[in-house]
Amino acid sequence: MGTHERDGEDRGRGGVPLGGGLTTGEVARRLGVAPTTVRTWDRRYGLGPDAHTGGRHRRWTATDVARLERMCALTATGIPPAEAARTVLGEATQEAGPDAGPDAGLVGRTAPASPDTPPRAHAPARRPSDAPPLPPARPRPRSRAGSGLRLGDVRQECKGIARAALRLDAVALDELLEAAIVEHGLVAAWTEVIMPTLQAVGRKWESSGEKYVEVEHFLSWHVSGALRRGAPPSAADRPGATVVLACVPGENHTLPLEVLAAALAERGLPVRMFGGALPVESLVTAVRRTGPAAVALWAQSRTTASRPLAQHVAAMEWGVRGARRKPVVLTIGPGWSGRTVTGLPRPTGLAEAVAVLESVVSR
């Protein structure tokens, strides 16, 4: 093991090793961007490591990372990458001073005064000789994406996913979502990483007068894709073990049902997913055709949560006389708050819903 990989090695500002620095992949994960984005900023704008070490892999010091963090902060507000890079490089040059040598501003400078303040670079960046010239400066545009999302006390992954969503960075967002699911498992990734980020985007949308709708749709679409890619193939049918998932009529918020379907598939439970706004007649037909052990009805809004519908499905019967069966109906989602249907389970979260359905199927 090399000297820079020892446990307990000294670290400088931002947790970057004092000796060798971070690899490009580690920097990308820290920033919440794709490694290709880091390399592009290096190649196109000269925002690469100031120092070079032996071997093929380049190492990024705390100062290098601070420049990239500043770049991320600027691009997250809607500033084009070329203009953001010019700002970062200009700040680095001003802070280093005209007489600064090639080692000016290396690790050991004072960290930013607050964790909420975007880090500023402390070293002069040298553009590669073959890099194309930056476009001429122009008046700074007004922010198109605001100053970011108020996430509160959340996992570090939430911040990376939020930054990627604000930048509409599809590659980085897919990589970060899939990494969260692999590292934490689907249920924990949804509960502790994905859902808090979605809620923050929703709050930003509600408080900014219809802005950020594109960010919410973008993030939701990529979460849906990550769930499908991460879920195992559909489990084979087992008599009396199928789970039917559907949104009630008029309800189009399918993402919570998608994550529930993926979590059940992980556990080998047969699922029939019918998506958003399933008409009453179609829901009844689907239940009769599949003979499920359980039916989960999702309602995001109280205006769509229908007690009579839930009671009707719960009263459905099938099978031969003397061995008639009924489904267990779960009312899930915030729309059922205050509209509890007597005798029907109402789990309050993903983990509880999975546990209830596993219990019903195993009877």
Side-chain angles (χ1 to χ4, degrees):
M1 180 177 294
T3 57
H4 303 312
E5 298 176 9
R6 294 193 305 266
D7 292 337
E9 70 178 333
D10 293 337
R11 291 181 175 266
R13 174 160 48 94
V16 177
L18 287 173
L22 301 175
T23 65
T24 298
E26 291 169 333
V27 170
R29 286 191 293 273
R30 178 184 293 259
L31 298 175
V33 302
T36 52
T37 299
V38 176
R39 296 188 185 100
T40 297
W41 288 351
D42 176 8
R43 183 180 66 254
R44 187 173 298 171
Y45 307 122
L47 292 176
D50 277 328
H52 293 262
T53 59
R56 297 177 55 191
H57 299 290
R58 311 180 73 183
R59 292 283 179 168
W60 301 73
T61 67
T63 300
D64 301 325
V65 174
R67 274 203 302 271
L68 294 183
E69 287 176 333
R70 178 65 170 149
M71 181 74 171
C72 286
L74 292 173
T75 55
T77 67
I79 297 176
E83 185 165 343
R86 183 169 44 253
T87 299
V88 172
L89 294 172
E91 291 173 348
T93 302
Q94 290 173 9
E95 293 187 11
D99 298 325
D103 294 329
L106 291 178
V107 178
R109 292 292 187 95
T110 304
S114 165
D116 297 324
T117 303
R120 299 175 65 88
H122 298 285
R126 298 185 299 279
R127 289 178 50 76
S129 58
D130 59 346
L134 292 173
R138 63 179 184 272
R140 186 169 177 171
R142 295 189 64 178
S143 169
R144 296 194 299 270
S147 58
L149 304 176
R150 295 183 179 180
L151 289 163
D153 184 16
V154 295
R155 287 184 178 271
Q156 183 65 32
E157 295 98 317
C158 296
K159 299 176 183 178
I161 291 171
R163 286 195 292 262
L166 285 170
R167 292 194 310 274
L168 305 183
D169 187 336
V171 174
L173 190 53
D174 281 344
E175 290 182 357
L176 292 166
L177 289 169
E178 290 173 15
I181 291 172
V182 169
E183 180 173 352
H184 302 294
L186 200 150
V187 173
W190 170 261
T191 304
E192 301 177 23
V193 178
I194 298 173
M195 189 167 63
T197 309
L198 285 165
Q199 290 172 339
V201 173
R203 290 193 299 268
K204 192 74 171 177
W205 172 24
E206 292 174 355
S207 64
S208 59
E210 296 299 312
K211 293 182 181 179
Y212 301 94
V213 176
E214 76 284 1
V215 175
E216 183 182 38
H217 283 229
F218 180 77
L219 178 56
S220 296
W221 172 260
H222 282 271
V223 169
S224 178
L227 293 174
R228 288 174 181 263
R229 289 189 297 273
S234 298
D237 281 335
R238 301 198 303 273
T242 301
V243 176
V244 165
L245 306 178
C247 291
V248 297
E251 183 58 71
N252 290 298
H253 291 80
T254 64
L255 199 54
L257 277 189
E258 292 178 47
V259 71
L260 178 56
L264 295 175
E266 276 191 336
R267 289 154 179 78
L269 301 185
V271 175
R272 292 294 177 270
M273 169 67 159
F274 293 94
L278 188 64
V280 173
E281 297 82 1
S282 301
L283 174 61
V284 171
T285 300
V287 171
R288 290 198 183 282
R289 291 183 62 184
T290 57
V295 178
L297 300 175
W298 173 270
Q300 180 77 18
S301 166
R302 287 192 180 188
T303 60
T304 61
S306 170
R307 285 175 177 165
L309 174 61
Q311 291 168 332
H312 178 74
V313 174
M316 294 178 64
E317 293 183 331
W318 53 83
V320 298
R321 182 173 298 180
R324 307 281 283 176
R325 300 182 65 246
K326 294 181 178 181
V328 174
V329 176
L330 282 67
T331 54
I332 56 177
W336 295 102
S337 178
R339 302 181 66 82
T340 303
V341 182
T342 303
L344 303 188
R346 186 183 176 275
T348 57
L350 175 61
E352 185 179 347
V354 170
V356 171
L357 290 170
E358 281 191 297
S359 174
V360 169
V361 170
S362 64
R363 290 177 184 173

